[in-house]
Amino acid sequence: MKYPNHMTASEAQELVYDVVSDDLKIHLTRVLRGAIKACDVDIQMINQNNVINRSRTIAGETIYVLEADGDGNFYPQEYAWHNGEMELVFRRLSTPTFADFIAELAQDGFLDECKVNELLEKEGASFRLKRKTRFAVDTTVSVEVFSLEALDKSERDADTHPNIRVLVRRMDTALNAGDFAGVLHASASIFETLAKIVVAQPTLENKTLKSFFDRYRKD
């Protein structure tokens, strides 16, 4: 991500190896759907078009120009397309672009950054949203990216998966030290963590990848 708006380019690069689960993205999609809901279905679709085009722009995709027919009405296909695209506004994004986008939505009042931060903490993500104030007035929302040192020192809850940024750093450290057993161990932990995110079953938290590999391969 070359030009993020709510963090520095170097901070965005730090999040490349962080992983946000589809469960969180789906949950935030549902919250966002409620935030842009309107009594008038046309106004609601206009709101959807706004959010969808923001997401598509951040993801590097083309925007969709919403146009009415000669009578000022929209075709049924437009409603179907926008409803479908709404489900992708977060899921199409990488972690750096996701973080930047939710900060933008929080700044514009579509998301509550305090509630989002609670979810990010539960997720074990290595970033949070931070609202800056000036002269007692709320101004901008930024992305606060935790350092690897801080993540290494912090205690993880038993039900939170290890942070992949930390595991990648441990793998690099082991490689530089010639500790190839350590490299394999950290690498295996990364794959196991990713697999648990993909399968998304709480009962697997303390299981090894081998014990649910068939399910992982299927999913």
Side-chain angles (χ1 to χ4, degrees):
M1 191 175 186
K2 208 170 183 181
Y3 303 112
N5 284 342
H6 299 272
M7 56 184 157
T8 65
S10 60
E11 287 174 326
Q13 185 61 34
E14 285 289 319
L15 294 180
V16 167
Y17 288 119
D18 210 341
V19 176
V20 177
S21 70
D22 280 346
D23 282 348
L24 175 58
K25 291 181 176 181
I26 291 168
H27 176 74
L28 288 179
T29 301
R30 297 171 69 183
V31 172
L32 183 58
R33 281 204 308 262
I36 65 174
K37 189 174 182 179
C39 295
D40 188 306
V41 292
D42 288 346
I43 297 298
Q44 180 169 312
M45 186 164 62
I46 291 171
N47 292 340
Q48 288 179 327
N49 185 258
N50 174 34
V51 171
I52 288 166
N53 279 335
R54 289 190 190 192
S55 171
R56 290 175 68 87
T57 298
I58 293 174
E61 299 182 14
T62 57
I63 64 172
Y64 184 85
V65 179
L66 179 60
E67 295 180 347
D69 62 20
D71 296 323
N73 299 315
F74 297 111
Y75 293 108
Q77 293 88 337
E78 293 282 14
Y79 298 102
W81 186 88
H82 280 81
N83 287 335
E85 276 289 306
M86 272 300 298
E87 303 307 307
L88 299 175
V89 291
F90 294 129
R91 296 184 73 177
R92 65 159 55 95
L93 300 179
S94 64
T95 300
T97 53
F98 168 79
D100 202 54
F101 190 38
I102 61 173
E104 179 178 310
L105 293 173
Q107 181 173 299
D108 291 348
F110 291 111
L111 296 176
D112 182 320
E113 69 270 14
C114 294
K115 292 181 179 179
V116 170
N117 282 340
E118 290 176 3
L119 294 169
L120 291 173
E121 181 177 1
K122 184 177 181 181
E123 184 81 0
S126 62
F127 64 94
R128 301 288 186 273
L129 302 185
K130 184 177 182 181
R131 183 175 291 275
K132 297 180 181 178
T133 59
R134 187 177 184 185
F135 306 121
V137 177
D138 289 344
T139 53
T140 60
V141 175
S142 62
V143 178
E144 180 183 15
V145 180
F146 299 153
S147 68
L148 286 169
E149 289 72 24
L151 290 171
D152 257 334
K153 292 178 183 178
S154 64
E155 293 183 358
R156 291 296 176 191
D157 294 333
D159 60 348
T160 301
H161 63 74
N163 186 274
I164 291 178
R165 277 182 63 207
V166 174
L167 293 174
V168 170
R169 206 271 286 271
R170 289 176 184 167
M171 185 170 61
D172 285 341
T173 300
L175 182 62
N176 291 333
D179 178 8
F180 303 120
V183 173
L184 288 173
H185 182 269
S187 176
S189 297
I190 291 170
F191 280 106
E192 187 172 282
T193 300
L194 285 170
K196 289 176 180 177
I197 293 172
V198 169
V199 177
Q201 292 291 332
T203 55
L204 300 178
E205 239 0 274
N206 297 318
K207 303 291 185 180
T208 63
L209 177 57
K210 181 180 179 180
S211 66
F212 66 95
F213 187 79
D214 287 342
R215 172 65 188 272
Y216 167 62
R217 180 168 53 187
K218 178 182 176 182
D219 287 1

